[in-house]
Each structure stands twice: as structure tokens, then as C-alpha cells.
Amino acid sequence: MPRYRITVEYDGTAYSGWQLQSGQHTVQAAIEHAIRAFSGEDVRPGVAGRTDAGVHATGQVAHFDLSRAWPARTVANALNAKLKLAGETVAVLDAEQVPDTFDARFSARARHYLYRIINRAPPLAIERNQAWWIKHPLDEAVMQRAADRLVGTHDFTTFRS
């Protein structure tokens, strides 16, 4: 079975996160529906990391197996066509066929997160779903002291399953 690695981006505003949840609109469900519409196969993609409700992604990696080998460009184009047709805000940026030892979660070498706060009195118009709006003044010195405690290497083993 050929394995495909895809890189996706999405506006997570309308989604209840990545992972399938009964009765919820999720990114994983949107991608699974697109795969089914394209290939006729029920596939459960693996992912490098799940996102929460309303969270966006600009380079999330997932993988899945198909019973038939397709050119990687065909996979990306077909998924994008099916996602667009379904009105999803998900795009496949890249697809490639990879060895079956590749696993989006366990093969990941890094993860990057960006949290944006816009501190101003007027509400956000263009970036309303892209940043956290705080209308009251923030104490930057207190925030910097708190952030300084996060700098460095930390063991987050207890936060994983």
C-alpha cells in the first residue's frame, strides 16, 4: 500500500479542532471525506499534532495509505478539488509518496507555534480570527518576566500519553 505524506493549511475558525468528534465539524473529517470522494477508500490519516477548536495551521503534516498508487501531484490536486467543492477552508500544500515507515507523528523533527496578541482599543476586523484581541493595556514588564521563565530546554514528558 503506498503511503502519502501531505502538508496542509487551514483556517480553523469553523472547525472543532483536528480530531474526529461525533457531531462536530473537524479538519480530520474534512480530509477523510475528500480522500473518500477522490479514491473511494475509507482512510484514517495520522497527523503530527492535533489542534484545538478555532486553531489555524500553516504547515501541518499528515499521512495516509491508499490501496492504489497515484502520482503525488494527482493526490494533492484531487484532495484540493474535493475540499473546495465541499466548501472547506483546508488546502493541501504538498503531497509526496513516502516509505511505509514514515509516520507524521513519530517522524516529526520539530513543531512551531505562533500565538498573537493584538493590544489596542479598536476591535479586530481583518485579523479577528487570527489573533487574540486585548483592548485594555497590558503590563509588558510582567509579561516579559513570565515569558523569561519559559526560555530554555524543558522536559514535557508528563504532558504526553
Side-chain angles (χ1 to χ4, degrees):
M1 289 185 107
R3 176 161 290 185
Y4 294 89
R5 174 195 188 275
I6 59 172
T7 304
V8 298
E9 74 175 18
Y10 51 86
D11 178 331
T13 303
Y15 299 97
S16 296
W18 167 272
Q19 189 172 0
L20 287 177
Q21 300 175 54
S22 180
Q24 300 296 315
H25 188 212
T26 67
V27 177
Q28 184 177 4
I31 292 173
E32 286 184 12
H33 288 123
I35 294 170
R36 186 178 314 110
F38 154 60
S39 69
E41 298 183 49
D42 288 319
V43 171
R44 174 90 7 110
V47 68
R50 299 177 304 212
T51 54
D52 293 327
V55 173
H56 316 296
T58 58
Q60 190 168 24
V61 174
H63 76 272
F64 55 88
D65 299 330
L66 294 175
S67 60
R68 175 180 166 196
W70 297 86
R73 190 75 254 154
T74 299
V75 171
N77 290 341
L79 293 179
N80 280 326
K82 299 302 182 183
L83 289 162
K84 184 175 181 182
L85 189 63
E88 303 291 358
T89 55
V90 179
V92 176
L93 303 177
D94 183 48
E96 65 178 301
Q97 194 168 341
V98 293
D100 63 359
T101 54
F102 176 84
D103 183 286
R105 179 177 172 198
F106 298 110
S107 300
R109 289 186 231 135
R111 290 176 174 87
H112 301 274
Y113 301 89
L114 174 65
Y115 300 90
R116 294 181 55 233
I117 299 171
I118 297 180
N119 184 213
R120 68 179 194 199
L124 303 180
I126 294 172
E127 297 180 296
R128 72 179 180 276
N129 294 319
Q130 305 292 320
W132 183 19
W133 171 51
I134 303 293
K135 66 180 177 179
H136 303 293
L138 296 170
D139 188 332
E140 292 179 33
V142 169
M143 291 173 66
Q144 187 59 57
R145 284 196 301 275
D148 287 344
R149 298 184 70 133
L150 299 174
V151 174
T153 302
H154 305 282
D155 181 359
F156 292 107
T157 303
T158 57
F159 293 101
R160 63 185 182 122
S161 58

